[in-house]
Amino acid sequence: MKNVYQTIHTQQISEGIRKTLENLSSKVQENIRRYPFLIRYARELRAAKIEINNNFQYWIDASISTLEKAGIPVFLAKDAKMARKIIGEIIETGKIVVKTKSMVSEEIHLREYLQKLGNEVWETDLGELIIQVAGQRPMHMVVPALHLSEKDVIEILKKIGIHGNNAEDCTLKVREFLREKFIKANFGISGCNAFSAESGSIFLIENEGNIRLSTSLPETYISIIGIDKILPEDDFALKSIMVQSAFFGTFPPSYINIIRQRHPKKMYVVFLDNGRKKSDEKLKEQLLCVRCGRCQLECPVFQITGSVWGGDTYGGPMGMGWSAITSSISEEVYLSCICGKCKEVCPMDIDIPNIILYLRKKYLLC
Ligand code: SF4
């Protein structure tokens, strides 16, 4: 709680969120107006995800079977520790690893773990790289460095020998810096925006092109997939990434990557449970989330605290449910004002206020 209260006085966080919201809110409205089918997609997606939630083991088995038939080594990690161990044993030590922005990898603290094993690990999303070098945690799951000014970024990047004069100059220099890492990397790691059990395809969206490079250039690629990302077939996976990007405000995304096989290069898939399968009926509702981040930006509490409020990995209103599923319930559930804005803007119609009220009762019983 102390950190959250301190954050309230950090104007830079609320400024960054306000600017991001101003920039994206009208784009979300425009997306819904121009492409009304997105609402239908979200409804269909919700129904498909409810079916997956109710039969997790069936869909996990189906996904594993599809990947194994394609000759891809696949693992199911019951928790964060097991996922780290599996990935650590594949990568071992002394390697160069390029990573894409992934909340599931934040959830298991993968970068820090691989670094401790003696590997050189680089985030390749610009915002996430800045956060890595600054030694901070992402302030928003889609825009991790929204709280940092141009001046801050210029100073932070100096730590890795990048001396830029302004944002544009820094971006160009980071691009050169990362090009060398992509070429030298032994391993590429990504999360997954949606997974199709039918085809075994991993769907990833991005705007920078770094996912494309991280998943194709290194000799070996590892994808970590939260089991909530499993969908029955390609059609739903495609709808999921469309809903996710449209309701964040960047639609269509600059790049859509669909990864199935990587012959002759190697590929591994690690599914992560970490509390998802055993979620009770109320918390299962949170698993319908496509992680568009809209509820965060629109939340009046998040607008002054950013991701400092909500949990170790997932912040803001959606972070309450996700933290309870993947780690624990904190007393921060009492900082929500239960205004209902999060539910109103959620494309998946997740009743977040109801989840938070439920967690308050559970917290008292802990
Ligand atoms: S809870 Fe809803 S609005 Fe929030 S990130 Fe998930 S899908 Fe988006």
Side-chain angles (χ1 to χ4, degrees), residues 141 286 289-295 318 345-348 350 352:
M141 63 184 166
Q286 189 62 64
C289 174
V290 289
R291 309 243 179 96
C292 64
R294 191 160 180 233
C295 61
M318 55 82 84
V345 299
C346 174
M348 302 306 288
I350 298 172
I352 303 172

Side-chain angles (χ1 to χ4, degrees), residues 25-265:
S25 220
S26 57
K27 290 186 181 142
V28 175
Q29 298 306 329
E30 176 67 5
N31 291 338
I32 298 169
R33 197 188 56 75
R34 281 185 70 186
Y35 311 107
F37 58 83
L38 288 165
I39 303 287
R40 176 169 51 85
Y41 283 5
R43 257 188 242 124
E44 289 172 11
L45 200 53
R46 183 179 161 94
K49 281 174 97 62
I50 288 173
E51 152 61 22
I52 301 268
N53 276 357
N54 291 336
N55 295 290
F56 255 137
Q57 198 53 53
Y58 171 85
W59 289 104
I60 292 168
D61 292 344
S63 302
I64 291 175
S65 162
T66 306
L67 289 166
E68 283 180 342
K69 275 186 204 148
I72 296 166
V74 47
F75 303 86
L76 174 60
K78 70 172 183 339
D79 55 26
K81 192 175 166 201
M82 191 172 169
R84 285 194 296 266
K85 188 166 178 289
I86 290 166
I87 298 169
E89 282 175 1
I90 296 170
I91 295 182
E92 299 175 333
T93 187
K95 307 293 190 323
I96 299 178
V97 181
V98 285
K99 255 190 91 271
T100 72
K101 181 157 59 65
S102 147
M103 289 312 289
V104 118
S105 77
E106 289 284 335
E107 186 183 317
I108 65 169
H109 298 272
L110 183 62
R111 186 180 68 235
E112 296 84 346
Y113 178 76
L114 293 177
Q115 285 171 328
K116 266 193 210 142
L117 288 183
N119 296 292
E120 185 184 327
V121 188
W122 292 103
E123 296 291 343
T124 60
D125 171 89
L126 178 60
E128 195 72 12
L129 176 72
I130 294 164
I131 291 298
Q132 173 185 0
V133 179
Q136 298 183 9
R137 305 283 292 171
M139 195 50 76
H140 179 270
M141 63 184 166
V142 188
V143 200
L146 57 68
H147 59 300
L148 298 172
S149 67
E150 187 179 45
K151 206 165 140 237
D152 293 335
V153 172
I154 289 171
E155 280 310 306
I156 291 165
L157 290 176
K158 282 181 186 165
K159 290 189 195 170
I160 50 170
I162 295 175
H163 297 271
N165 299 319
N166 51 43
E168 202 182 332
D169 192 29
C170 283
T171 307
L172 287 172
K173 286 179 174 150
V174 164
R175 184 180 291 194
E176 276 168 35
F177 176 86
L178 285 177
R179 279 288 182 273
E180 191 211 332
K181 308 296 174 197
F182 285 128
I183 291 163
K184 287 189 179 164
N186 309 96
F187 287 87
I189 298 181
S190 81
C192 171
N193 294 114
F195 178 82
S196 162
E198 172 201 41
S199 67
S201 302
I202 295 157
F203 288 67
L204 289 156
I205 42 172
E206 58 169 327
N207 292 309
E208 295 179 16
N210 62 307
I211 294 185
R212 195 148 282 201
L213 294 171
S214 301
T215 59
S216 61
L217 280 181
E219 188 55 37
T220 308
Y221 161 57
I222 303 169
S223 177
I224 326 160
I225 306 174
I227 56 170
D228 56 291
K229 296 290 181 187
I230 297 175
L231 286 160
E233 53 204 48
D234 290 4
D235 177 42
F236 285 109
L238 204 52
K239 284 173 178 164
S240 179
I241 57 172
M242 287 202 198
V243 170
Q244 183 183 357
S245 57
F247 281 80
F248 171 65
T250 49
F251 185 78
S254 304
Y255 302 97
I256 296 175
N257 304 281
I258 303 175
I259 305 167
R260 191 170 294 181
Q261 285 180 337
R262 281 182 100 238
H263 291 317
K265 291 184 176 178

